[in-house]
Amino acid sequence: MAADDGVYMRRALDLAREGWGHTAPNPLVGAVLVRDGAIVGEGYHAAYGGDHAEVNALRDAGPRARGATAYLTLEPCTHTGHTPPCVDALIAAAVGRVVVAVRDPHPVARGGIERLTAAGIEVTVGVEGPQAHELNAAFFHALASDRPWVTLKFAMSLDAAVADGTGAPARLTGDPARAEVHRLRAGHDAIAVGIETALMDDPLLTVRHAEPPRTPPVRVVFDRQGRLPLDSRLMKTIGDAPVVVVATAPDAERASRLAAAGARVLVAPTIGDALVQLRSQGVRSLLLEGGPRLAGSFLAAAAVNRVVIFQAPVILGAGARAAFAFAPAAAVPTARHLRVVDRRAIGEDMMTVFALSDA
């Protein structure tokens, strides 16, 4: 591995993130071409159905691609889909070396590394691999699981409360954190809340404070008896984005009214059953936004892969609604210490991403 491989691969990862919200069900991919110690071409997969990162980088480099080192966040594809195989483009451009962060597990697309090696091109695999896996966690998960990749998001106070003692809806975090939440929404197939949150906050669950995604996320309400009001903002805007109501024992009349108004009603006795049904309907990633009771149910079912906490610099004190009031109890000596995936300031707030499973 060359000394600068990590530097250029991190640049490729940054480029890949530019496709956030626009490439699914394809992965986010970035590419950087380097020759004689200088970047001569860059590209990323900008939108589903469009040119892949490798092709865009090769076009950017032109004849300077010959003999260059290509840094790719994902193994180049070998199949013809909306576009020709990227591995053929790399071979035709006569690149001298290819550095790949992670192999592509897709049974149709994989094999690019072997094709490059057979063409006499040196290949290095694994540079910034964990970061590349994390970037496309939902994509990798979808190839190995019948459930969506689930991210639990909470905005909370310093004392881990989501609301004050009155329980009245109020925003804890600032505008930068709000924009980041909407950016997260744009990269997920679905956004979910529990019926109590739906009744109390009357949310829209749409992307409004970030760049709109290619496909609006499905809005999901976990609603045991089908109590979601027909005059809720979710149902009034059903033409903007689909609404799915997940119920365990829905009232037949309520379920019929919701369906007649355009909602999909899924009957699922458990969280696991609900996730399998959502996955079968194309939901590969689910952003769980509340509230504490639903979060506790998902945690108890071991159905959460990532937890994203936006912590505001406020203390709500006695009587406030605790974010994890319904999470399974744990004793200090045996409590699980979660791995920190990311931690950074978002305006005056602090965002931390914790891993509950491997990507």
Side-chain angles (χ1 to χ4, degrees):
M1 186 173 77
D4 293 335
D5 281 355
V7 174
Y8 295 125
M9 187 61 77
R10 287 190 289 275
R11 173 58 184 163
L13 288 166
D14 286 342
L15 288 168
R17 294 183 181 98
E18 293 295 319
W20 182 263
H22 296 281
T23 66
N26 286 350
L28 297 163
V29 183
V32 172
L33 293 173
V34 177
R35 181 175 172 179
D36 299 327
I39 294 176
V40 296
E42 293 186 332
Y44 63 93
H45 184 35
Y48 176 74
D51 286 337
H52 289 187
E54 299 92 329
V55 172
N56 288 327
L58 289 168
R59 183 183 299 116
D60 187 38
R64 296 174 297 173
R66 177 174 290 275
T69 297
Y71 293 87
L72 314 177
T73 60
L74 186 69
E75 177 181 14
C77 64
T78 59
H79 76 298
T80 299
H82 289 96
T83 61
C86 292
V87 67
D88 291 349
L90 290 164
I91 294 170
V95 298
R97 177 173 175 247
V98 175
V99 181
V100 174
V102 289
R103 284 182 172 269
D104 190 339
H106 197 286
V108 175
R110 65 190 179 195
I113 290 171
E114 288 74 18
R115 289 268 294 276
L116 291 168
T117 302
I121 297 173
E122 178 188 352
V123 180
T124 301
V125 182
V127 176
E128 299 294 323
Q131 290 78 6
H133 270 105
E134 189 67 33
L135 176 66
N136 283 306
F139 169 77
F140 291 119
H141 185 78
L143 294 172
S145 176
D146 61 354
R147 296 183 178 193
W149 178 262
V150 177
T151 298
L152 168 61
K153 186 277 296 182
F154 268 129
M156 62 174 62
S157 62
L158 289 178
D159 49 342
V162 296
D164 61 25
T166 69
R171 199 151 53 90
L172 288 170
T173 53
D175 288 341
R178 186 183 196 185
E180 178 63 15
V181 169
H182 281 249
R183 190 194 71 83
L184 285 175
R185 287 181 177 181
H188 285 77
D189 294 328
I191 307 161
V193 295
I195 184 57
E196 298 302 330
T197 297
L199 294 174
M200 183 180 298
D201 297 349
D202 194 20
L204 278 171
L205 303 182
T206 54
V207 179
R208 303 182 304 284
H209 302 284
E211 183 181 349
R214 183 177 69 89
T215 303
V218 175
R219 281 107 38 103
V220 181
V221 180
F222 284 82
D223 180 6
R224 291 179 182 274
Q225 298 176 326
R227 293 188 290 148
L228 183 66
L230 295 181
D231 62 354
S232 65
R233 294 205 295 170
L234 285 170
M235 293 302 296
K236 286 181 177 178
T237 59
I238 203 163
D240 297 335
V243 173
V244 174
V245 175
V246 179
T248 52
D251 175 87
E253 185 176 346
R254 288 175 180 164
S256 178
R257 287 200 299 264
L258 286 168
R264 280 181 281 163
V265 180
L266 303 183
V267 179
T270 68
I271 293 291
D273 291 328
L275 290 175
V276 170
Q277 289 193 53
L278 288 170
R279 178 68 185 88
S280 72
Q281 296 191 8
V283 175
R284 304 188 314 162
S285 57
L286 177 70
L287 182 63
L288 191 65
E289 292 206 11
R293 192 178 295 276
L294 183 63
S297 298
F298 267 74
L299 290 167
V304 177
N305 303 104
R306 293 289 179 271
V307 176
V308 180
I309 301 295
F310 291 88
Q311 198 159 35
V314 298
I315 297 173
L316 297 182
R321 292 182 66 205
F324 295 102
F326 299 96
V332 172
T334 58
R336 182 182 175 190
H337 283 230
L338 303 180
R339 176 171 61 87
V340 175
V341 174
D342 188 16
R343 178 174 285 150
R344 51 195 163 96
I346 306 287
E348 293 185 346
D349 308 306
M350 181 62 68
M351 183 187 78
T352 308
V353 182
F354 299 94
L356 275 71
S357 69
D358 291 332

